[in-house]
């Protein structure tokens, strides 16, 4: 079971706000960073992933891996592993060898992560994106373990909305 370390919520009023949140996260990413995304359909999980990839120096077009499940990108800073587990079962996910990504040399982003929570590592950053209007979102951030708890506490101190 994961040890809950820190929680925070931010309000994104635009795509630019979401990009700023992704930039904050990207600056702290190291090999083995795992970011789990959940939320309403159309709330911006893929948009967040695109902004994070851009901040990691990915120059390829990043789009939803809904049907391919996992897409790998080379970034100038770190490799970027973009996953969408919406259409698979826990057993199918277990057969994918996700640990190789989670404990590898890049940053893993898992959309619809709640489907595979037991397969996630003990330490990861979880973002739940909630649709609040045309451009407004509430992003609930939960850190499981370090260094993610430190990220969330830094976020709180920064006053970032």
């Amino acid at each position: 079971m994961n040890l809950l370390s820190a929680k925070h919520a931010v309000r994104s009023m635009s795509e630019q706000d979401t990009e700023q949140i992704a930039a904050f996260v990207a600056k702290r990413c190291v090999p083995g960073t795992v970011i789990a995304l959940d939320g309403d359909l159309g709330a911006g999980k893929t948009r967040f992933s695109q902004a994070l990839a851009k901040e990691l120096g990915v120059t390829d077009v990043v789009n939803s891996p809904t049907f391919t499940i996992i897409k790998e990108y080379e970034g100038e800073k770190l490799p970027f592993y973009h996953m969408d587990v919406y259409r698979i079962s826990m057993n199918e996910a277990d057969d994918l060898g996700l640990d190789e990504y989670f404990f590898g040399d890049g940053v893993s982003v898992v959309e619809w992560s709640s489907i595979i929570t037991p397969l996630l590592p003990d330490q990861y950053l979880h973002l739940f994106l909630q649709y609040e209007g045309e451009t407004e979102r509430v992003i609930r951030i939960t850190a499981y373990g370090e260094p993610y708890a430190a990220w969330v506490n830094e976020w709180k101190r920064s006053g970032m909305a």
Side-chain angles (χ1 to χ4, degrees), residues 19 22-35 48-60 62 73-82 105-109 151:
E19 290 168 3
F24 180 93
V25 171
K27 287 179 183 140
R28 288 145 185 85
C29 288
V30 296
T33 295
V34 177
I35 301 167
F48 175 87
S49 299
Q50 291 167 333
L52 182 70
K54 180 180 176 187
E55 290 293 325
L56 294 173
V58 173
T59 57
D60 293 335
V62 173
Y73 301 92
E74 281 303 316
E76 292 172 14
K77 299 174 186 168
L78 291 166
F80 180 70
Y81 310 127
H82 190 195
D105 60 354
V107 175
S108 299
V109 173
W151 296 9

mmCIF file of all heavy atoms in Angstrom, residues 19 22-35 48-60 62 73-82 105-109 151:
data_model
loop_
_atom_site.group_PDB
_atom_site.id
_atom_site.type_symbol
_atom_site.label_atom_id
_atom_site.label_comp_id
_atom_site.label_asym_id
_atom_site.label_seq_id
_atom_site.Cartn_x
_atom_site.Cartn_y
_atom_site.Cartn_z
ATOM 1 N N GLU A 19 -0.016 24.359 -18.934
ATOM 2 C CA GLU A 19 1.372 24.289 -19.412
ATOM 3 C C GLU A 19 2.351 24.709 -18.316
ATOM 4 O O GLU A 19 3.417 24.117 -18.170
ATOM 5 C CB GLU A 19 1.550 25.170 -20.650
ATOM 6 C CG GLU A 19 0.849 24.614 -21.873
ATOM 7 C CD GLU A 19 0.750 25.599 -23.030
ATOM 8 O OE1 GLU A 19 1.289 26.728 -22.926
ATOM 9 O OE2 GLU A 19 0.112 25.241 -24.039
ATOM 10 N N ALA A 22 2.675 21.827 -15.954
ATOM 11 C CA ALA A 22 3.525 20.802 -16.568
ATOM 12 C C ALA A 22 4.993 21.217 -16.518
ATOM 13 O O ALA A 22 5.876 20.378 -16.277
ATOM 14 C CB ALA A 22 3.083 20.539 -18.002
ATOM 15 N N ALA A 23 5.274 22.491 -16.728
ATOM 16 C CA ALA A 23 6.659 22.979 -16.674
ATOM 17 C C ALA A 23 7.230 22.822 -15.269
ATOM 18 O O ALA A 23 8.389 22.428 -15.097
ATOM 19 C CB ALA A 23 6.726 24.442 -17.116
ATOM 20 N N PHE A 24 6.428 23.117 -14.259
ATOM 21 C CA PHE A 24 6.852 22.950 -12.864
ATOM 22 C C PHE A 24 7.251 21.501 -12.616
ATOM 23 O O PHE A 24 8.298 21.218 -12.039
ATOM 24 C CB PHE A 24 5.724 23.372 -11.919
ATOM 25 C CG PHE A 24 6.059 23.243 -10.465
ATOM 26 C CD1 PHE A 24 6.586 24.315 -9.760
ATOM 27 C CD2 PHE A 24 5.851 22.042 -9.791
ATOM 28 C CE1 PHE A 24 6.900 24.198 -8.410
ATOM 29 C CE2 PHE A 24 6.164 21.915 -8.450
ATOM 30 C CZ PHE A 24 6.686 22.993 -7.755
ATOM 31 N N VAL A 25 6.411 20.572 -13.073
ATOM 32 C CA VAL A 25 6.681 19.144 -12.889
ATOM 33 C C VAL A 25 7.916 18.735 -13.685
ATOM 34 O O VAL A 25 8.803 18.045 -13.165
ATOM 35 C CB VAL A 25 5.445 18.304 -13.279
ATOM 36 C CG1 VAL A 25 5.772 16.820 -13.300
ATOM 37 C CG2 VAL A 25 4.283 18.592 -12.330
ATOM 38 N N ALA A 26 8.002 19.158 -14.932
ATOM 39 C CA ALA A 26 9.107 18.746 -15.808
ATOM 40 C C ALA A 26 10.468 19.139 -15.251
ATOM 41 O O ALA A 26 11.437 18.381 -15.382
ATOM 42 C CB ALA A 26 8.925 19.342 -17.204
ATOM 43 N N LYS A 27 10.552 20.296 -14.615
ATOM 44 C CA LYS A 27 11.832 20.756 -14.057
ATOM 45 C C LYS A 27 12.341 19.837 -12.961
ATOM 46 O O LYS A 27 13.519 19.851 -12.640
ATOM 47 C CB LYS A 27 11.697 22.176 -13.517
ATOM 48 C CG LYS A 27 11.602 23.212 -14.598
ATOM 49 C CD LYS A 27 11.455 24.601 -14.022
ATOM 50 C CE LYS A 27 11.292 25.593 -15.151
ATOM 51 N NZ LYS A 27 10.316 26.616 -14.877
ATOM 52 N N ARG A 28 11.467 19.045 -12.381
ATOM 53 C CA ARG A 28 11.835 18.175 -11.276
ATOM 54 C C ARG A 28 11.984 16.710 -11.686
ATOM 55 O O ARG A 28 12.384 15.881 -10.879
ATOM 56 C CB ARG A 28 10.795 18.321 -10.160
ATOM 57 C CG ARG A 28 10.943 19.665 -9.463
ATOM 58 C CD ARG A 28 9.638 20.257 -9.015
ATOM 59 N NE ARG A 28 9.869 21.606 -8.475
ATOM 60 C CZ ARG A 28 9.929 22.705 -9.224
ATOM 61 N NH1 ARG A 28 9.741 22.644 -10.524
ATOM 62 N NH2 ARG A 28 10.171 23.884 -8.673
ATOM 63 N N CYS A 29 11.649 16.408 -12.922
ATOM 64 C CA CYS A 29 11.697 15.021 -13.394
ATOM 65 C C CYS A 29 13.129 14.493 -13.487
ATOM 66 O O CYS A 29 14.036 15.204 -13.908
ATOM 67 C CB CYS A 29 11.023 14.896 -14.756
ATOM 68 S SG CYS A 29 9.229 15.035 -14.714
ATOM 69 N N VAL A 30 13.265 13.257 -13.097
ATOM 70 C CA VAL A 30 14.526 12.519 -13.190
ATOM 71 C C VAL A 30 14.200 11.147 -13.769
ATOM 72 O O VAL A 30 13.021 10.773 -13.855
ATOM 73 C CB VAL A 30 15.192 12.380 -11.800
ATOM 74 C CG1 VAL A 30 15.579 13.744 -11.227
ATOM 75 C CG2 VAL A 30 14.295 11.629 -10.829
ATOM 76 N N PRO A 31 15.212 10.375 -14.157
ATOM 77 C CA PRO A 31 14.908 9.015 -14.616
ATOM 78 C C PRO A 31 14.089 8.257 -13.567
ATOM 79 O O PRO A 31 14.381 8.320 -12.369
ATOM 80 C CB PRO A 31 16.294 8.400 -14.796
ATOM 81 C CG PRO A 31 17.177 9.566 -15.119
ATOM 82 C CD PRO A 31 16.637 10.681 -14.255
ATOM 83 N N GLY A 32 13.041 7.588 -14.025
ATOM 84 C CA GLY A 32 12.181 6.833 -13.131
ATOM 85 C C GLY A 32 11.004 7.615 -12.581
ATOM 86 O O GLY A 32 10.225 7.078 -11.793
ATOM 87 N N THR A 33 10.826 8.859 -12.998
ATOM 88 C CA THR A 33 9.667 9.641 -12.567
ATOM 89 C C THR A 33 8.401 8.999 -13.135
ATOM 90 O O THR A 33 8.348 8.661 -14.320
ATOM 91 C CB THR A 33 9.779 11.096 -13.064
ATOM 92 O OG1 THR A 33 10.894 11.720 -12.430
ATOM 93 C CG2 THR A 33 8.512 11.882 -12.757
ATOM 94 N N VAL A 34 7.395 8.855 -12.277
ATOM 95 C CA VAL A 34 6.112 8.294 -12.709
ATOM 96 C C VAL A 34 5.011 9.286 -12.339
ATOM 97 O O VAL A 34 4.879 9.676 -11.183
ATOM 98 C CB VAL A 34 5.830 6.923 -12.063
ATOM 99 C CG1 VAL A 34 4.453 6.403 -12.465
ATOM 100 C CG2 VAL A 34 6.919 5.928 -12.447
ATOM 101 N N ILE A 35 4.241 9.668 -13.351
ATOM 102 C CA ILE A 35 3.124 10.588 -13.166
ATOM 103 C C ILE A 35 1.855 9.878 -13.618
ATOM 104 O O ILE A 35 1.749 9.438 -14.762
ATOM 105 C CB ILE A 35 3.341 11.894 -13.953
ATOM 106 C CG1 ILE A 35 4.631 12.549 -13.470
ATOM 107 C CG2 ILE A 35 2.136 12.817 -13.803
ATOM 108 C CD1 ILE A 35 5.136 13.643 -14.337
ATOM 109 N N PHE A 48 -1.991 17.935 -20.796
ATOM 110 C CA PHE A 48 -0.941 17.995 -19.788
ATOM 111 C C PHE A 48 0.264 17.176 -20.251
ATOM 112 O O PHE A 48 1.412 17.623 -20.152
ATOM 113 C CB PHE A 48 -1.442 17.470 -18.434
ATOM 114 C CG PHE A 48 -0.355 17.398 -17.405
ATOM 115 C CD1 PHE A 48 -0.055 18.502 -16.625
ATOM 116 C CD2 PHE A 48 0.386 16.240 -17.237
ATOM 117 C CE1 PHE A 48 0.975 18.453 -15.688
ATOM 118 C CE2 PHE A 48 1.417 16.175 -16.319
ATOM 119 C CZ PHE A 48 1.707 17.288 -15.538
ATOM 120 N N SER A 49 0.006 15.985 -20.768
ATOM 121 C CA SER A 49 1.093 15.105 -21.239
ATOM 122 C C SER A 49 1.885 15.770 -22.361
ATOM 123 O O SER A 49 3.117 15.690 -22.388
ATOM 124 C CB SER A 49 0.516 13.772 -21.726
ATOM 125 O OG SER A 49 -0.148 13.104 -20.677
ATOM 126 N N GLN A 50 1.196 16.412 -23.283
ATOM 127 C CA GLN A 50 1.870 17.106 -24.382
ATOM 128 C C GLN A 50 2.762 18.227 -23.866
ATOM 129 O O GLN A 50 3.901 18.393 -24.320
ATOM 130 C CB GLN A 50 0.829 17.679 -25.355
ATOM 131 C CG GLN A 50 0.080 16.627 -26.125
ATOM 132 C CD GLN A 50 -1.146 17.172 -26.843
ATOM 133 O OE1 GLN A 50 -1.752 18.167 -26.419
ATOM 134 N NE2 GLN A 50 -1.528 16.506 -27.926
ATOM 135 N N ALA A 51 2.251 18.994 -22.916
ATOM 136 C CA ALA A 51 3.033 20.102 -22.360
ATOM 137 C C ALA A 51 4.234 19.589 -21.592
ATOM 138 O O ALA A 51 5.338 20.147 -21.694
ATOM 139 C CB ALA A 51 2.151 20.963 -21.455
ATOM 140 N N LEU A 52 4.074 18.516 -20.850
ATOM 141 C CA LEU A 52 5.191 17.914 -20.116
ATOM 142 C C LEU A 52 6.252 17.418 -21.092
ATOM 143 O O LEU A 52 7.451 17.668 -20.903
ATOM 144 C CB LEU A 52 4.690 16.777 -19.228
ATOM 145 C CG LEU A 52 5.752 16.109 -18.369
ATOM 146 C CD1 LEU A 52 6.212 17.046 -17.259
ATOM 147 C CD2 LEU A 52 5.199 14.819 -17.769
ATOM 148 N N ALA A 53 5.817 16.722 -22.135
ATOM 149 C CA ALA A 53 6.759 16.207 -23.139
ATOM 150 C C ALA A 53 7.545 17.347 -23.778
ATOM 151 O O ALA A 53 8.766 17.245 -23.956
ATOM 152 C CB ALA A 53 6.002 15.411 -24.203
ATOM 153 N N LYS A 54 6.860 18.425 -24.106
ATOM 154 C CA LYS A 54 7.526 19.585 -24.707
ATOM 155 C C LYS A 54 8.604 20.113 -23.765
ATOM 156 O O LYS A 54 9.720 20.426 -24.189
ATOM 157 C CB LYS A 54 6.508 20.666 -25.034
ATOM 158 C CG LYS A 54 7.113 21.898 -25.668
ATOM 159 C CD LYS A 54 6.058 22.946 -25.967
ATOM 160 C CE LYS A 54 6.707 24.200 -26.520
ATOM 161 N NZ LYS A 54 5.736 25.286 -26.670
ATOM 162 N N GLU A 55 8.287 20.208 -22.482
ATOM 163 C CA GLU A 55 9.248 20.705 -21.492
ATOM 164 C C GLU A 55 10.441 19.755 -21.332
ATOM 165 O O GLU A 55 11.518 20.173 -20.937
ATOM 166 C CB GLU A 55 8.572 20.918 -20.134
ATOM 167 C CG GLU A 55 7.605 22.069 -20.118
ATOM 168 C CD GLU A 55 8.279 23.425 -20.298
ATOM 169 O OE1 GLU A 55 9.409 23.617 -19.812
ATOM 170 O OE2 GLU A 55 7.656 24.293 -20.935
ATOM 171 N N LEU A 56 10.234 18.479 -21.638
ATOM 172 C CA LEU A 56 11.322 17.503 -21.568
ATOM 173 C C LEU A 56 12.136 17.471 -22.859
ATOM 174 O O LEU A 56 13.065 16.684 -22.984
ATOM 175 C CB LEU A 56 10.769 16.108 -21.263
ATOM 176 C CG LEU A 56 10.136 15.936 -19.884
ATOM 177 C CD1 LEU A 56 9.484 14.565 -19.767
ATOM 178 C CD2 LEU A 56 11.165 16.152 -18.780
ATOM 179 N N GLY A 57 11.755 18.311 -23.811
ATOM 180 C CA GLY A 57 12.498 18.408 -25.054
ATOM 181 C C GLY A 57 12.059 17.447 -26.137
ATOM 182 O O GLY A 57 12.796 17.189 -27.088
ATOM 183 N N VAL A 58 10.854 16.925 -26.029
ATOM 184 C CA VAL A 58 10.314 16.062 -27.081
ATOM 185 C C VAL A 58 9.869 16.962 -28.228
ATOM 186 O O VAL A 58 9.078 17.885 -28.019
ATOM 187 C CB VAL A 58 9.129 15.211 -26.566
ATOM 188 C CG1 VAL A 58 8.467 14.448 -27.707
ATOM 189 C CG2 VAL A 58 9.602 14.262 -25.476
ATOM 190 N N THR A 59 10.380 16.702 -29.435
ATOM 191 C CA THR A 59 10.021 17.525 -30.591
ATOM 192 C C THR A 59 8.977 16.852 -31.479
ATOM 193 O O THR A 59 8.380 17.507 -32.316
ATOM 194 C CB THR A 59 11.274 17.871 -31.424
ATOM 195 O OG1 THR A 59 11.913 16.658 -31.823
ATOM 196 C CG2 THR A 59 12.241 18.734 -30.609
ATOM 197 N N ASP A 60 8.755 15.551 -31.299
ATOM 198 C CA ASP A 60 7.730 14.845 -32.067
ATOM 199 C C ASP A 60 6.340 15.280 -31.619
ATOM 200 O O ASP A 60 6.166 15.782 -30.513
ATOM 201 C CB ASP A 60 7.842 13.334 -31.859
ATOM 202 C CG ASP A 60 9.108 12.754 -32.457
ATOM 203 O OD1 ASP A 60 9.650 13.346 -33.400
ATOM 204 O OD2 ASP A 60 9.553 11.700 -31.955
ATOM 205 N N VAL A 62 3.062 14.686 -29.943
ATOM 206 C CA VAL A 62 2.605 13.775 -28.889
ATOM 207 C C VAL A 62 1.085 13.761 -28.929
ATOM 208 O O VAL A 62 0.448 14.794 -28.802
ATOM 209 C CB VAL A 62 3.107 14.248 -27.502
ATOM 210 C CG1 VAL A 62 2.495 13.399 -26.388
ATOM 211 C CG2 VAL A 62 4.622 14.220 -27.442
ATOM 212 N N TYR A 73 8.991 8.330 -26.702
ATOM 213 C CA TYR A 73 9.541 9.507 -27.370
ATOM 214 C C TYR A 73 10.927 9.798 -26.807
ATOM 215 O O TYR A 73 11.151 9.636 -25.606
ATOM 216 C CB TYR A 73 8.661 10.741 -27.134
ATOM 217 C CG TYR A 73 7.243 10.609 -27.616
ATOM 218 C CD1 TYR A 73 6.240 10.143 -26.768
ATOM 219 C CD2 TYR A 73 6.881 10.978 -28.912
ATOM 220 C CE1 TYR A 73 4.928 10.037 -27.199
ATOM 221 C CE2 TYR A 73 5.562 10.882 -29.345
ATOM 222 C CZ TYR A 73 4.595 10.409 -28.480
ATOM 223 O OH TYR A 73 3.293 10.314 -28.914
ATOM 224 N N GLU A 74 11.812 10.262 -27.656
ATOM 225 C CA GLU A 74 13.114 10.735 -27.192
ATOM 226 C C GLU A 74 12.989 12.214 -26.884
ATOM 227 O O GLU A 74 12.493 12.984 -27.693
ATOM 228 C CB GLU A 74 14.192 10.512 -28.256
ATOM 229 C CG GLU A 74 14.692 9.093 -28.315
ATOM 230 C CD GLU A 74 15.241 8.575 -26.993
ATOM 231 O OE1 GLU A 74 15.996 9.306 -26.310
ATOM 232 O OE2 GLU A 74 14.895 7.440 -26.626
ATOM 233 N N GLY A 75 13.436 12.604 -25.718
ATOM 234 C CA GLY A 75 13.457 14.008 -25.347
ATOM 235 C C GLY A 75 14.898 14.466 -25.207
ATOM 236 O O GLY A 75 15.789 13.647 -24.998
ATOM 237 N N GLU A 76 15.121 15.762 -25.339
ATOM 238 C CA GLU A 76 16.476 16.299 -25.160
ATOM 239 C C GLU A 76 16.957 16.079 -23.737
ATOM 240 O O GLU A 76 18.146 15.882 -23.510
ATOM 241 C CB GLU A 76 16.498 17.789 -25.496
ATOM 242 C CG GLU A 76 16.275 18.088 -26.962
ATOM 243 C CD GLU A 76 16.123 19.573 -27.223
ATOM 244 O OE1 GLU A 76 16.441 20.392 -26.323
ATOM 245 O OE2 GLU A 76 15.686 19.926 -28.330
ATOM 246 N N LYS A 77 16.031 16.134 -22.775
ATOM 247 C CA LYS A 77 16.393 15.978 -21.365
ATOM 248 C C LYS A 77 16.251 14.541 -20.900
ATOM 249 O O LYS A 77 17.142 14.009 -20.242
ATOM 250 C CB LYS A 77 15.554 16.920 -20.501
ATOM 251 C CG LYS A 77 15.773 18.380 -20.841
ATOM 252 C CD LYS A 77 14.844 19.299 -20.095
ATOM 253 C CE LYS A 77 15.032 20.719 -20.608
ATOM 254 N NZ LYS A 77 14.001 21.620 -20.148
ATOM 255 N N LEU A 78 15.123 13.919 -21.195
ATOM 256 C CA LEU A 78 14.829 12.551 -20.766
ATOM 257 C C LEU A 78 13.900 11.888 -21.771
ATOM 258 O O LEU A 78 13.087 12.567 -22.408
ATOM 259 C CB LEU A 78 14.123 12.558 -19.404
ATOM 260 C CG LEU A 78 14.920 12.988 -18.182
ATOM 261 C CD1 LEU A 78 13.977 13.271 -17.010
ATOM 262 C CD2 LEU A 78 15.922 11.919 -17.799
ATOM 263 N N PRO A 79 13.955 10.555 -21.888
ATOM 264 C CA PRO A 79 12.937 9.864 -22.683
ATOM 265 C C PRO A 79 11.569 10.044 -22.031
ATOM 266 O O PRO A 79 11.463 10.224 -20.807
ATOM 267 C CB PRO A 79 13.369 8.398 -22.624
ATOM 268 C CG PRO A 79 14.804 8.417 -22.237
ATOM 269 C CD PRO A 79 14.981 9.642 -21.380
ATOM 270 N N PHE A 80 10.527 10.010 -22.846
ATOM 271 C CA PHE A 80 9.165 10.214 -22.386
ATOM 272 C C PHE A 80 8.333 9.010 -22.800
ATOM 273 O O PHE A 80 8.263 8.671 -23.982
ATOM 274 C CB PHE A 80 8.614 11.502 -23.015
ATOM 275 C CG PHE A 80 7.204 11.831 -22.620
ATOM 276 C CD1 PHE A 80 6.900 12.247 -21.337
ATOM 277 C CD2 PHE A 80 6.173 11.756 -23.547
ATOM 278 C CE1 PHE A 80 5.598 12.572 -20.970
ATOM 279 C CE2 PHE A 80 4.875 12.081 -23.201
ATOM 280 C CZ PHE A 80 4.580 12.491 -21.912
ATOM 281 N N TYR A 81 7.724 8.345 -21.822
ATOM 282 C CA TYR A 81 6.897 7.175 -22.068
ATOM 283 C C TYR A 81 5.454 7.538 -21.749
ATOM 284 O O TYR A 81 5.113 7.780 -20.598
ATOM 285 C CB TYR A 81 7.347 5.992 -21.212
ATOM 286 C CG TYR A 81 8.823 5.719 -21.299
ATOM 287 C CD1 TYR A 81 9.604 5.624 -20.156
ATOM 288 C CD2 TYR A 81 9.450 5.579 -22.533
ATOM 289 C CE1 TYR A 81 10.960 5.380 -20.224
ATOM 290 C CE2 TYR A 81 10.815 5.334 -22.621
ATOM 291 C CZ TYR A 81 11.561 5.237 -21.458
ATOM 292 O OH TYR A 81 12.902 5.002 -21.534
ATOM 293 N N HIS A 82 4.625 7.588 -22.779
ATOM 294 C CA HIS A 82 3.236 8.033 -22.648
ATOM 295 C C HIS A 82 2.321 6.820 -22.772
ATOM 296 O O HIS A 82 2.323 6.137 -23.797
ATOM 297 C CB HIS A 82 2.948 9.054 -23.748
ATOM 298 C CG HIS A 82 1.657 9.769 -23.595
ATOM 299 N ND1 HIS A 82 1.096 10.478 -24.629
ATOM 300 C CD2 HIS A 82 0.802 9.925 -22.556
ATOM 301 C CE1 HIS A 82 -0.037 11.024 -24.226
ATOM 302 N NE2 HIS A 82 -0.234 10.697 -22.973
ATOM 303 N N ASP A 105 14.905 4.698 -17.580
ATOM 304 C CA ASP A 105 15.702 5.921 -17.669
ATOM 305 C C ASP A 105 14.897 7.141 -18.118
ATOM 306 O O ASP A 105 15.468 8.172 -18.427
ATOM 307 C CB ASP A 105 16.888 5.699 -18.599
ATOM 308 C CG ASP A 105 16.458 5.310 -20.013
ATOM 309 O OD1 ASP A 105 15.245 5.105 -20.245
ATOM 310 O OD2 ASP A 105 17.333 5.205 -20.888
ATOM 311 N N GLY A 106 13.575 7.019 -18.130
ATOM 312 C CA GLY A 106 12.762 8.133 -18.608
ATOM 313 C C GLY A 106 11.663 8.511 -17.648
ATOM 314 O O GLY A 106 11.644 8.109 -16.485
ATOM 315 N N VAL A 107 10.724 9.306 -18.160
ATOM 316 C CA VAL A 107 9.556 9.766 -17.417
ATOM 317 C C VAL A 107 8.340 9.028 -17.969
ATOM 318 O O VAL A 107 8.092 9.055 -19.175
ATOM 319 C CB VAL A 107 9.367 11.294 -17.584
ATOM 320 C CG1 VAL A 107 8.079 11.754 -16.920
ATOM 321 C CG2 VAL A 107 10.571 12.039 -17.031
ATOM 322 N N SER A 108 7.608 8.372 -17.086
ATOM 323 C CA SER A 108 6.398 7.649 -17.477
ATOM 324 C C SER A 108 5.168 8.431 -17.069
ATOM 325 O O SER A 108 5.045 8.840 -15.912
ATOM 326 C CB SER A 108 6.345 6.276 -16.797
ATOM 327 O OG SER A 108 7.435 5.471 -17.173
ATOM 328 N N VAL A 109 4.271 8.634 -18.025
ATOM 329 C CA VAL A 109 2.977 9.264 -17.747
ATOM 330 C C VAL A 109 1.909 8.246 -18.109
ATOM 331 O O VAL A 109 1.882 7.735 -19.224
ATOM 332 C CB VAL A 109 2.793 10.565 -18.556
ATOM 333 C CG1 VAL A 109 1.382 11.106 -18.381
ATOM 334 C CG2 VAL A 109 3.821 11.597 -18.129
ATOM 335 N N TRP A 151 7.939 17.880 -3.909
ATOM 336 C CA TRP A 151 7.439 18.675 -5.032
ATOM 337 C C TRP A 151 6.159 19.382 -4.629
ATOM 338 O O TRP A 151 5.990 20.571 -4.886
ATOM 339 C CB TRP A 151 7.153 17.801 -6.241
ATOM 340 C CG TRP A 151 8.302 17.101 -6.875
ATOM 341 C CD1 TRP A 151 9.586 17.011 -6.414
ATOM 342 C CD2 TRP A 151 8.266 16.356 -8.081
ATOM 343 N NE1 TRP A 151 10.335 16.260 -7.267
ATOM 344 C CE2 TRP A 151 9.557 15.846 -8.296
ATOM 345 C CE3 TRP A 151 7.262 16.060 -8.991
ATOM 346 C CZ2 TRP A 151 9.872 15.059 -9.402
ATOM 347 C CZ3 TRP A 151 7.574 15.278 -10.096
ATOM 348 C CH2 TRP A 151 8.867 14.790 -10.303
#
